[in-house]
């Protein structure tokens, strides 16, 4: 029986609830209803007190989690969509994220953020905002791209003492399948070489890892190009060493992200590799992001707003031909 | 000086009133020292005083037990902190930037706290404390350790305009958590008068909208404050859910010591709310025979020594060393990237 990415998230929460009495889940419609994406389906039946419905109050949801964490609990907050976390932004970046530095008392909260675009979801149910949480000091920002990572990184995140922003990609929820949750045991903080290559490195994370792999397959078939794909897994901490080692092998770098283009994770990668690995580069490093507009509703517009295998191939050809 | 004659019928205990007033005396003297140190250039950053709000703040703090209850003070709650049991050294060390203070120089002035001991360290974003208090109490409820503990927070009239305050109060009301939310309606949020802050007649009217009991009190009336805060705290402790207290008064100074508050109309200063709760309280205590002039003088003298000792101690201590600073916000040092 194969398991999906959303199964992984649900089952990781099940395991966390079962193994650690300090864990509880809190979010809108997550109780009897099981959550907008069914990530908590059936969990309230088993743990009536520790799977709690919240009012539509993202600020108070995070504030509540902060308080519970100060008291020694391990809250997992579900934002119904990452987009709505903007309402809880202040509690995350100014309260949770500063608390350990200011007081010496850690705030072990995990905030689950259903992220990224899906066809027809429009401007307010599609955002990828990992950059915002990575910018402020004090959060660990996870961006799993595989079923196994979705499972193990959520569990590892919940066990951490620092605030964790867990960005789960909605497009992967149901189509990304695996035989089981067995993984390669990589800890948070280490990137993975998803596909080995020698002509260029594509650095990606979350759903863009899969788009990058598709692009690599196209170029392999078209011209025998061997593209290396690095899955960052977490954008904070960001495993510069693994990216640097890959660029040392390939001499070419393309950073791909689904977020808006101004600043962000891809800019950070290009900046770090350019500053510290300039001598390794045979071509100017490139970035490919979503467009600098709100995320459009219509599937035709949406598909062109974010990087696709085709647009990644286009960028890679430019990079390879430099 | 007007002393309310109706007080005789009220059941304020002598012991509680003395505890509150003693904290007010100590806080007023400590804050006067902070003001002097600021004006002498000895304190870097802002100094925010609770002058005029001591009765409200201390009568709340005195109802909370250190180690059991939770207090989330805001910027004008020195008296509440003192009544709750905060060590004066925590205040002087934080204001003077001693590395031995609870914030180690990483945060200053009124942002100090000891969260695991039940004294939260406020952030500057108003209204955020209500849901945090709620979460702390909810955690205890889940673990079965709530007992009769309560959480209390003070905010000002300005904070009631924030979404965070609304979300927080709505949350604790929905969960019927033992929280006391005190609104010190001091007529101004920094320089903005109430008529540009809210449109309802009285902020206590909002309690009904949240489904919580509302208590009104004249924040300059010392004994009324003691009585109201005690009643509100006890109601929360008995399991009657969140209590909202609105205390009307006037801030007797600027927003901070950098601000002369010249925008406050003279007419308001001369009104009932312009009374100094310290003076009102003194008259009430002496009239009741609960405090003598001699005792008060002794409290003041003792407080001056206590304050001077705390200031001198903090002044002798080291400032934080940038070369020894961790420079990471994460507890997991191995994740430090810069």
């Amino acid at each position: 029986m194969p398991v999906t990415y959303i199964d992984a998230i649900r089952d990781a929460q099940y395991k966390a609830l079962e193994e650690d009495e300090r864990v509880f889940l809190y979010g809108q419609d997550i109780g009897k209803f099981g959550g907008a994406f069914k990530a908590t389906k059936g969990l309230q039946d088993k743990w009536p007190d520790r799977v709690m419905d919240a009012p539509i109050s993202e600020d108070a949801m995070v504030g509540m989690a902060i308080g519970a964490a100060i008291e020694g609990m391990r809250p997992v907050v579900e934002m119904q969509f990452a987009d709505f976390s903007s309402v809880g932004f202040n509690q995350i970046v100014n309260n949770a994220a500063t608390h350990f530095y200011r007081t010496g008392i850690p705030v072990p909260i995990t905030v689950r953020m259903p992220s990224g675009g899906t066809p027809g979801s429009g401007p307010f149910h599609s955002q990828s905002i990992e950059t915002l949480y990575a910018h402020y000091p004090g959060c660990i920002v996870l961006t799993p791209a595989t079923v196994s990572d979705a499972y193990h990184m959520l569990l590892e995140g919940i066990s951490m003492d620092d605030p964790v922003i867990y960005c789960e990609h909605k497009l992967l929820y149901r189509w990304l399948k695996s035989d089981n949750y067995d993984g390669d045991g990589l800890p948070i903080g280490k990137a993975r070489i998803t596909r080995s290559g020698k002509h260029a490195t594509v650095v990606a994370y979350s759903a863009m890892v899969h788009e990058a792999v598709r692009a690599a397959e196209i170029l392999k078939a078209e011209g025998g190009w061997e593209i290396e794909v690095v899955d960052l897994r977490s954008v904070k901490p960001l495993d510069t060493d693994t990216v640097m080692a890959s660029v040392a092998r390939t001499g070419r770098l393309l950073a791909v992200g689904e977020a808006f283009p101004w600043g962000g994770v891809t800019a950070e990668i290009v900046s770090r590799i350019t500053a510290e690995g300039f001598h390794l580069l045979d071509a100017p490093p490139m970035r490919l992001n979503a467009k600098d507009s709100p995320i459009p509703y219509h599937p035709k517009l949406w598909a062109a707003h974010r990087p696709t295998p085709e647009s990644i191939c286009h960028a890679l050809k430019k990079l390879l031909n430099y | 000086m007007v002393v309310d004659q109706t007080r005789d019928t009220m059941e304020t205990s002598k012991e509680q009133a003395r505890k509150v007033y003693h904290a007010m005396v100590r806080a007023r003297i400590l804050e006067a020292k902070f003001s002097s140190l600021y004006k002498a250039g000895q304190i870097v950053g802002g100094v925010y005083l609770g002058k005029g709000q001591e009765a409200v703040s201390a009568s709340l703090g005195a109802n909370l037990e250190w180690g059991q209850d939770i207090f989330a003070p805001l910027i004008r709650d020195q008296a509440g902190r003192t009544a709750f049991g905060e060590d004066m050294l925590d205040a002087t060390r934080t204001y003077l930037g001693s590395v031995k203070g609870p914030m180690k120089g990483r945060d200053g002035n009124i942002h100090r706290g000891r969260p695991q001991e039940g004294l939260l360290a406020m952030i500057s974003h108003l209204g955020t404390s209500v849901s945090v208090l709620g979460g702390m109490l909810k955690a205890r409820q889940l673990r079965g350790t709530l007992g009769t503990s309560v959480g209390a927070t003070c905010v000002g009239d300005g904070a009631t305009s924030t979404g965070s305050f609304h979300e927080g109060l709505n949350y604790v009301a929905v969960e019927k958590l033992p929280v006391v939310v005190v609104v010190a309606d001091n007529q101004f949020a920094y320089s903005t008068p109430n008529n540009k802050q809210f449109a309802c007649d009285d902020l206590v009217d909002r309690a009904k909208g949240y489904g919580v009991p509302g208590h009104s009190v004249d924040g300059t009336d010392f004994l009324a404050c003691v009585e109201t805060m005690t009643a509100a705290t006890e109601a929360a402790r008995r399991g009657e859910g969140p209590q909202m207290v609105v205390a009307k008064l006037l801030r007797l100074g600027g927003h901070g010591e950098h601000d002369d508050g010249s925008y406050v109309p003279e007419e308001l200063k001369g009104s009932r709310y312009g009374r100094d709760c310290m003076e009102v309280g003194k008259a009430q205590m002496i009239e009741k025979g609960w405090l003598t002039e001699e005792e008060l003088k002794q409290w003041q003298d003792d407080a001056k020594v206590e304050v001077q000792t705390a200031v001198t101690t903090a002044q002798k201590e080291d400032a934080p060393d940038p070369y020894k600073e961790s420079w990471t916000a994460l507890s997991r040092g191995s994740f430090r990237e810069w």
Side-chain angles (χ1 to χ4, degrees):
Chain A
M1 182 79 179
V3 284
T4 62
Y5 187 92
I6 192 79
D7 290 337
I9 292 163
R10 190 256 181 203
D11 291 350
Q13 292 180 106
Y14 185 103
K15 188 175 168 70
L17 284 162
E18 188 163 67
E19 293 189 344
D20 190 343
E21 285 187 345
R22 299 171 302 171
V23 173
F24 69 85
L25 313 184
Y26 191 50
Q28 296 158 22
D29 307 299
I30 71 163
K32 191 172 169 53
F33 186 65
F37 298 102
K38 303 300 171 200
T40 57
K41 189 179 177 185
L43 299 183
Q44 196 185 55
D45 291 340
K46 191 162 170 68
W47 293 283
D49 297 334
R50 289 160 65 205
V51 180
M52 291 177 273
D53 283 316
I56 303 179
S57 298
E58 287 81 6
D59 181 291
M61 282 159 53
V62 179
M64 181 278 204
I66 292 169
I70 290 170
E71 286 283 303
M73 302 293 277
R74 300 260 157 179
V76 180
V77 173
E78 176 179 305
M79 288 291 159
Q80 197 153 74
F81 287 80
D83 315 48
F84 303 145
S85 73
S86 58
V87 182
F89 186 71
N90 181 53
Q91 291 277 19
I92 296 173
V93 303
N94 285 313
N95 212 351
T98 65
H99 201 267
F100 176 74
Y101 185 73
R102 295 170 60 238
T103 68
I105 309 299
V107 176
I109 66 171
T110 299
V111 185
R112 286 183 37 235
M113 304 252 185
S115 305
T118 49
S121 294
F124 312 117
H125 296 77
S126 303
Q127 293 166 15
S128 297
I129 50 177
E130 57 283 345
T131 288
L132 302 180
Y133 297 104
H135 176 73
Y136 278 79
C139 290
I140 292 167
V141 184
L142 309 180
T143 49
T146 69
V147 172
S148 168
D149 276 354
Y151 182 80
H152 293 288
M153 290 173 77
L154 182 50
L155 280 171
E156 193 181 349
I158 292 168
S159 77
M160 288 181 164
D161 287 340
D162 295 300
V164 169
I165 305 299
Y166 179 88
C167 303
E168 51 193 62
H169 203 294
K170 301 193 294 292
L171 200 62
L172 305 181
Y173 275 164
R174 307 206 181 271
W175 78 257
L176 191 65
K177 295 184 176 70
S178 177
D179 290 337
N180 53 54
Y181 299 135
D182 293 350
D184 51 14
L186 273 184
I188 287 172
K190 293 290 177 199
R192 173 186 296 119
I193 308 295
T194 296
R195 181 188 176 100
S196 297
K198 59 185 180 187
H199 296 123
T201 296
V202 180
V203 176
Y205 57 98
S206 191
M208 283 298 141
V209 171
H210 304 283
E211 309 297 351
V213 168
R214 287 188 191 105
E217 284 166 357
I218 292 169
L219 291 186
K220 173 79 175 170
E222 277 185 6
W225 297 107
E226 293 179 33
I227 306 299
E228 183 146 301
V229 177
V230 178
D231 173 4
L232 287 176
R233 301 178 67 246
S234 62
V235 301
K236 196 172 189 180
L238 199 161
D239 182 4
T240 313
D241 290 349
T242 295
V243 178
M244 192 73 77
S246 176
V247 172
R249 288 190 288 274
T250 66
R252 285 175 163 79
L253 170 67
L254 170 66
V256 180
E258 192 176 328
F260 300 127
W262 200 98
V265 176
T266 58
E268 185 65 34
I269 291 162
V270 168
S271 164
R272 290 191 191 190
I273 299 306
T274 307
E276 297 164 35
F278 190 72
H279 58 291
L280 303 173
L281 292 163
D282 296 328
M286 292 177 67
R287 299 167 62 207
L288 187 62
N289 302 288
K291 296 192 191 305
D292 191 25
S293 78
I295 301 157
Y297 151 74
H298 197 282
K300 278 188 158 180
L301 293 176
W302 170 74
H305 184 270
R306 68 200 286 268
T308 58
E310 293 70 30
S311 67
I312 296 170
C313 281
H314 183 76
L316 276 171
K317 283 177 187 167
K318 197 172 160 189
L319 185 67
L320 292 164
N321 289 330
Y322 178 83
Chain B
M1 187 60 51
V2 180
V3 176
D4 234 328
Q5 296 305 317
T6 56
R7 293 292 149 241
D8 287 343
T9 61
M10 303 201 176
E11 297 177 2
T12 308
S13 81
K14 175 183 174 183
E15 192 189 344
Q16 183 73 358
R18 282 174 60 89
K19 182 182 174 189
V20 174
Y21 199 75
H22 193 194
M24 290 166 62
V25 168
R26 291 167 68 214
R28 176 68 67 96
I29 289 170
L30 175 61
E31 290 201 323
K33 186 69 178 179
F34 286 145
S35 176
S36 303
L37 288 166
Y38 175 79
K39 285 164 185 163
Q42 298 292 304
I43 292 175
V44 181
V47 170
Y48 303 91
L49 305 183
K51 192 175 181 186
Q53 301 191 188
E54 290 97 336
V56 171
S57 186
S59 53
L60 179 64
N63 273 293
L64 306 174
E65 192 179 325
W66 188 277
Q68 174 192 292
D69 298 323
I70 307 162
F71 184 36
L74 209 71
I75 65 172
R76 307 198 194 284
D77 286 315
Q78 181 58 53
R81 290 169 177 272
T82 302
F84 184 41
E86 185 191 41
D87 192 328
M88 209 175 260
L89 263 175
D90 277 7
T92 59
R93 283 172 164 159
T94 307
Y95 262 115
L96 291 160
S98 161
V99 76
K100 288 188 176 172
M103 314 309 277
K104 302 183 171 65
R106 291 171 167 188
D107 207 342
N109 48 57
I110 43 47
H111 291 280
R112 66 188 186 273
R114 292 183 177 271
Q116 279 191 324
E117 294 169 53
L119 184 64
L120 290 179
M122 61 164 280
I123 65 169
S124 301
H125 305 67
L126 300 175
T128 50
S129 61
V130 186
S131 58
V132 175
L133 272 183
M136 293 178 83
L137 296 163
K138 190 73 194 177
R140 294 178 182 192
Q141 198 179 66
L142 285 172
R143 281 204 308 258
T145 60
L146 181 60
T148 56
S149 57
V150 298
T153 190
C154 280
V155 301
D157 39 271
T160 66
S161 303
T162 67
S164 191
F165 176 82
H166 166 71
E167 289 191 12
L169 185 45
N170 180 62
Y171 163 67
V172 296
V174 165
E175 297 289 335
K176 295 189 172 48
L177 292 166
V179 176
V180 180
V181 174
V182 175
V183 179
D185 177 3
N186 66 14
Q187 317 300 319
F188 286 85
Y190 205 146
S191 74
T192 303
N194 278 0
N195 66 352
K196 290 292 178 190
Q197 195 67 239
F198 54 88
C200 55
D201 290 337
D202 191 321
L203 288 172
V204 79
D205 295 342
R206 293 189 181 177
K208 188 172 174 55
Y210 290 106
V212 304
H215 309 253
S216 288
V217 67
D218 175 348
T220 65
D221 184 336
F222 166 74
L223 286 179
C225 286
V226 176
E227 188 178 344
T228 303
M229 298 304 170
T230 302
T233 313
E234 285 179 357
R237 225 183 270 291
R238 280 195 304 270
E240 294 174 20
Q243 309 290 311
M244 182 179 182
V245 181
V246 177
K248 286 194 185 166
L249 37 59
L250 185 66
R251 193 184 68 203
L252 299 182
H255 171 60
E257 286 304 275
H258 58 279
D259 170 30
D260 66 5
S262 54
Y263 43 82
V264 178
E266 289 302 321
E267 187 189 345
L268 200 51
K269 290 179 185 169
S271 74
R272 182 179 178 87
Y273 296 136
R275 299 189 302 176
D276 184 347
C277 62
M278 295 294 298
E279 296 300 320
V280 176
K282 179 183 167 185
Q284 289 173 328
M285 291 292 278
I286 285 172
E287 190 200 68
K288 278 194 164 289
W290 288 355
L291 183 69
T292 64
E293 292 274 8
E294 294 70 33
E295 267 184 305
L296 176 56
K297 176 77 168 49
Q298 189 63 52
W299 280 1
Q300 289 166 335
D301 289 346
D302 290 347
K304 283 174 191 163
V305 173
E306 185 187 11
V307 167
Q308 193 53 51
T309 305
V311 167
T312 310
T313 301
Q315 279 178 327
K316 281 190 226 157
E317 292 170 351
D318 288 339
D321 181 350
Y323 295 100
K324 290 180 182 167
E325 177 64 24
S326 74
W327 297 118
T328 175
L330 297 173
S331 68
R332 180 179 288 230
S334 62
F335 277 1
R336 178 182 158 176
E337 292 188 79
W338 302 93

